[in-house]
Amino acid sequence: MEFKDNAKALFRLAGGNCTSGAEVDFFSWSEAAVDAVAAICCGETFANLGLSRVNDKEEVVHLVYYYYLRRLADPGAIERLRVRDRAGLVEYCQAAILRSEEYSLQGRSEFSLEFASRSDTGPNIFFDVTNTTTTKARTGIQRVVRELSRELQGSSAVENIVYVAYSRADKKFKRVALDDDEFVELNDAAQVCFDRGDVYFDVDGSWGDAVSRWPLYRTLREAGVRILNVHYDAAPILFPMYSHPITVLRFLEHFFAASNFSDTFVCISEAVRRDYIKIAEQLKGRCAPTTVMPLGNVFSALDASDEKIPVEVSKFSRERFVLFVGTVEPRKNYSLLIRNLDMFKQLGLKVILVGKKGWESDEVIDRLAEAQKAGNFLWLQNATDGVLKHLYETCYLYVSVAHYEGYGLPVLEALSYGCAVVTSDGGALEEVGRGYTLSFRLDDEQGLARTVSALVADPQRYDQLKANVSKFHAPVWSDAIAKVHEVLRAYLPCDRHGIDWQTLQLVYISIRPESLQRSLLSLKKFGHLGAVVVLTSEAMKGAVEAVLASLGVAGVVLCDEDLFVGEEIPADHQERNFQLRKRLYGNAAIEPVFLSLDDDAILLKPLPANHYGDQQNYKGYYYFSSMAKWRASPFGMTSYDEGQWRTSALLTAHGYGDKSFSAHQPQIIEKRLVQEIYSEYANCVAGGVDEWSLYFNVCLNRYSNRFCAVPVTTLNWPEDYSSWMPGWFASEVHYMNYYPGNDSANDPSAGLLNYAAAYDKYHAQRLIGGVAKPMTLAVTDDNVVAGLPGLWIDINVNQVMAGVGYRIYAGDAVVVDGSRDVQAVSPRAPLKVKMPLEPGEYELCVFWVESGSQISSASVLVFPWRQALQGA
């Protein structure tokens, strides 16, 4: 998984959305500098940023500043450092910053996490409120954080909620509590201790925090902690020219980590969710599962009726006026307001703007100040709740002209007070208005003027708009809390009804009617009564339907071609299987919980009642402990081999385990969850992945409250242990993987005994081989390999070599000639050598088949198998 390429794509996407490069200079940085930014996003250490490849001295200084201080260098620093030689510049800047007071107080900070098992209590829900605790801010995101926390404190629906904030002094997270509307550290608060199954809920504006999210999230994920994020919007990506450049950089870094590690993005509007999904698709990266949490409206409930309104405000608001609310910053688009001040005056409307001065150009600030002197415009930078309440109640019209809003709480507040409302079509503004507002297009320069002018000219239409608004019912914070509870419940222990495998729907992929019939007969023999869905080809549909009819099985037969309408079915086996199952599992014919299987699965004996799960957990059966350790045959690498490694790389890159669940027997699948996970990684599976292993490894981490992994043995998987060896042989074997011509199909009991004996023998050889000195493919005199008569051994290699052969000698006589089957070996495809049939000492020669040149040699020790010692 090339995260750095994906991070660079995010950086370029934001740069492409920036209509004025002069306002965000770093979008014109060199490729080497962008590589360094991507490395920071991916949590690389300072030494691994590749700054030696960055030639531009100004870029170097900015990058060092951003890495340590999370801001760009100020012009003064650039001027001071511009005269220094490029050599040693990185080290000079680094040393100066590390000695600075700013770094100790505000710089990027290390962190430590403590983990311990708490088996006696349920999982903790950790709400990270660091930014609100640190900044003490009370508007925007921090207001949401306070409201959510206040409501949750009074709720008993979810237990074990713990509020935490990062302590820079201690470099750890500590518990805090909401006291008199401020978060304060608890007395003698110890370091927060995480446990597998806990939930870390990042609800704050944490891109402003000192702790880098990539290493934090990755550490939590690998420890089995589930990660949730409230996603407010992606404005710094979509409209970077309307955000402060430092905010853009910080947000890109934060967004990249959250998008790759969050288990759920809790979006504050449908517009925000759509924007996030679109960004993920553009990046061809992971798309975290999403849901929408409507924000509440509490302003209308505030008791500010006794507050005295300042004379200036009272006098100004006696005439008809238009109200604007929001911080003065580029995203709010107050330059459009300025351009329309004359229009408002001509219509007999005064204008009041309530909002503090934020990051905005001097030109806009100056023009607002000049407009206030002219007398038709009033700018209130520190209005109290009581004043704002008065203005909502008395305004003729509330207007929002924002370029983009992830939600737009002031619009919600204005509607709650019965205001007539006009908004732009920026982001979620129309969604929040829910049909009670008028809107204009931002790409229409005269849109605002026409909309307001038409409303003023038509009093009847204005009265109708006001009358309609009187029916508006704003969402309340209890609605938001209900969504939080819904999200959290998915990660908490829950009881379900027992799973009766005999009634579960069977979902097959099969183009072999005879094999399908054999599999279905075995399942019916031991009591399966459920329905069947079969995905086959158009050419085999009739034959498959005949099989179902002959067995009296209720079923649905679907065709590959129907699932790939207008698309080409992938030729690669692994990619085809993944894409088929992804489409199949979303079909309306598929039941909420089902068994997924191939037609080579044969049930050998009755299944225990809890085979696929109990009242707490689904059971996923795995046959190999780590796909990263999977080894291919040197006689030919397959699509399956590639799929195992590809799946392992994808899973481990995102902090999951990589057990292999393609165990050649039915697996229980929950439709909603498998659709969630396949959609989540749909952009990341080019070439195909192991569909069962992707599903279960993610579920084992994300839904550890509902899934457990069980090692399993399937008869005839592998067909022969000379191919590969699992790490165990299970005490109970319930399924067989059918191979045509294999004797086990005729006598499963005898086949199982022979299979167990073969495992016993190969396992003994594995132990014997582990005692001998490992062989290396280099010309040396002290290599030793050991094994049992007639068995294959694997010799690991550390380089790629094609055209390799071997011979084993007893003196001058060749007893095993391995030159006929030429091997292509690599770290993932070991050299396979077959041991002589008789115990004894031999010599191995490994060589290039074409030239005959020797590669390596070894002494060969063949030990007698115990049956021979016992006269067997």
Side-chain angles (χ1 to χ4, degrees), residues 210-225:
V211 174
S212 302
R213 256 41 195 177
W214 184 279
L216 174 64
Y217 289 162
R218 185 171 190 89
T219 303
L220 291 170
R221 164 67 57 73
E222 290 176 344
V225 176

Side-chain angles (χ1 to χ4, degrees), residues 722-750:
S722 63
S723 302
W724 54 271
M725 277 282 291
W728 58 81
F729 197 98
S731 58
E732 290 284 341
V733 179
H734 293 96
Y735 284 98
M736 176 175 72
N737 181 47
Y738 176 78
Y739 283 105
N742 190 295
D743 292 340
S744 298
N746 301 318
D747 189 350
S749 297

Side-chain angles (χ1 to χ4, degrees), residues 725-799:
M725 277 282 291
W728 58 81
F729 197 98
S731 58
E732 290 284 341
V733 179
H734 293 96
Y735 284 98
M736 176 175 72
N737 181 47
Y738 176 78
Y739 283 105
N742 190 295
D743 292 340
S744 298
N746 301 318
D747 189 350
S749 297
L752 184 57
L753 289 173
N754 293 334
Y755 198 62
Y759 180 86
D760 201 18
K761 192 172 184 180
Y762 267 95
H763 182 60
Q765 175 171 267
R766 182 160 53 187
L767 295 176
I768 292 170
V771 174
K773 180 181 178 180
M775 178 178 173
T776 58
L777 287 191
V779 178
T780 180
D781 295 327
D782 58 355
N783 278 323
V784 177
V785 295
L788 296 176
L791 301 191
W792 290 83
I793 64 169
D794 291 346
I795 297 176
N796 293 327
V797 300
N798 58 9
Q799 57 187 308

Side-chain angles (χ1 to χ4, degrees), residues 85 146 241 276 285 378 380 414 416 462 473 488 495 523 547 609 630 667 799 842 860:
D85 292 337
R146 282 183 167 84
M241 59 284 189
Y276 167 65
L378 179 64
L380 303 176
S416 299
Y462 177 82
H473 294 286
L488 291 176
D495 289 338
L523 289 154
V547 167
W630 178 257
Q667 297 275 21
Q799 57 187 308
Y842 303 87
V860 177

Side-chain angles (χ1 to χ4, degrees), residues 292-589:
V292 174
M293 175 188 70
L295 298 185
N297 167 42
V298 297
F299 190 85
S300 59
L302 293 179
D303 183 11
S305 57
D306 296 334
E307 184 172 336
K308 186 176 181 179
I309 307 302
V311 173
E312 178 191 26
V313 175
S314 179
K315 181 179 179 181
F316 201 91
S317 62
R318 286 175 189 154
E319 301 180 48
R320 288 203 304 184
F321 69 94
V322 178
L323 177 63
F324 292 76
V325 176
T327 302
V328 179
E329 59 187 16
R331 182 155 58 120
K332 301 300 183 181
N333 196 20
Y334 288 131
S335 58
L336 179 59
L337 162 62
I338 292 170
R339 295 197 298 274
N340 281 277
L341 282 174
D342 287 343
M343 177 270 296
F344 286 121
K345 185 176 183 179
Q346 291 170 9
L347 293 174
L349 298 172
K350 291 190 173 184
V351 176
I352 298 180
L353 168 60
V354 176
K356 64 184 179 182
K357 177 183 173 182
W359 176 76
E360 181 55 278
S361 68
D362 292 339
E363 178 185 0
V364 171
I365 298 297
D366 290 344
R367 292 187 65 183
L368 288 174
E370 291 170 5
Q372 183 158 235
K373 293 177 183 177
N376 203 58
F377 172 73
L378 179 64
W379 180 13
L380 303 176
Q381 298 192 47
N382 297 294
T384 63
D385 286 348
V387 169
L388 184 53
K389 180 175 184 290
H390 166 76
L391 295 176
Y392 277 132
E393 291 173 334
T394 57
C395 72
Y396 170 77
L397 185 67
Y398 176 83
V399 176
S400 173
V401 293
H403 286 292
Y404 183 90
E405 291 285 3
Y407 196 70
L409 274 176
V411 170
L412 196 64
E413 293 169 348
L415 289 170
S416 299
Y417 280 105
C419 299
V421 176
V422 171
T423 76
S424 71
D425 59 353
L429 287 172
E430 291 178 300
E431 177 187 335
V432 171
R434 295 160 62 186
Y436 292 91
T437 65
L438 299 179
S439 63
F440 64 93
R441 298 198 323 272
L442 282 166
D443 60 2
D444 181 0
E445 178 63 27
Q446 299 303 315
L448 173 62
R450 276 198 300 270
T451 303
V452 176
S453 297
L455 199 59
V456 172
D458 189 347
Q460 185 176 0
R461 186 185 182 199
Y462 177 82
D463 292 341
Q464 288 174 345
L465 180 61
K466 290 277 287 185
N468 190 39
V469 171
S470 67
K471 304 171 187 175
F472 176 78
H473 294 286
V476 293
W477 283 106
S478 59
D479 297 332
I481 296 303
K483 172 58 71 170
V484 171
H485 289 164
E486 176 189 321
V487 171
L488 291 176
R489 277 195 294 271
Y491 302 102
L492 300 177
C494 62
D495 289 338
R496 67 163 74 87
H497 296 297
I499 298 170
D500 180 5
W501 80 270
Q502 294 175 321
T503 62
L504 289 176
Q505 184 184 55
L506 302 178
V507 179
Y508 281 96
I509 292 181
S510 175
I511 56 172
R512 301 176 297 185
E514 291 182 1
S515 294
L516 175 65
Q517 184 175 41
R518 185 182 301 108
S519 179
L520 281 170
L521 281 171
S522 74
L523 289 154
K524 285 177 65 68
K525 174 182 177 181
F526 294 107
H528 185 266
L529 305 170
V532 177
V533 172
V534 183
L535 179 64
T536 189
S537 66
E538 185 69 40
M540 301 306 300
K541 183 177 181 181
V544 168
E545 289 175 334
V547 167
L548 299 184
S550 70
L551 297 176
V553 172
V556 175
V557 180
L558 303 172
C559 297
D560 301 353
E561 294 83 354
D562 295 333
L563 301 185
F564 281 88
V565 177
E567 299 179 75
E568 185 176 348
I569 300 177
D572 178 80
H573 172 77
Q574 187 73 75
E575 185 173 9
R576 182 172 64 252
N577 268 5
F578 177 81
Q579 295 298 341
L580 284 172
R581 293 193 194 277
K582 179 178 182 294
R583 289 161 171 77
L584 174 60
Y585 293 164
N587 192 278

Side-chain angles (χ1 to χ4, degrees), residues 628-641:
K629 297 178 181 179
W630 178 257
R631 297 293 179 260
S633 168
F635 303 113
M637 196 171 292
T638 67
S639 171
Y640 181 82
D641 300 327

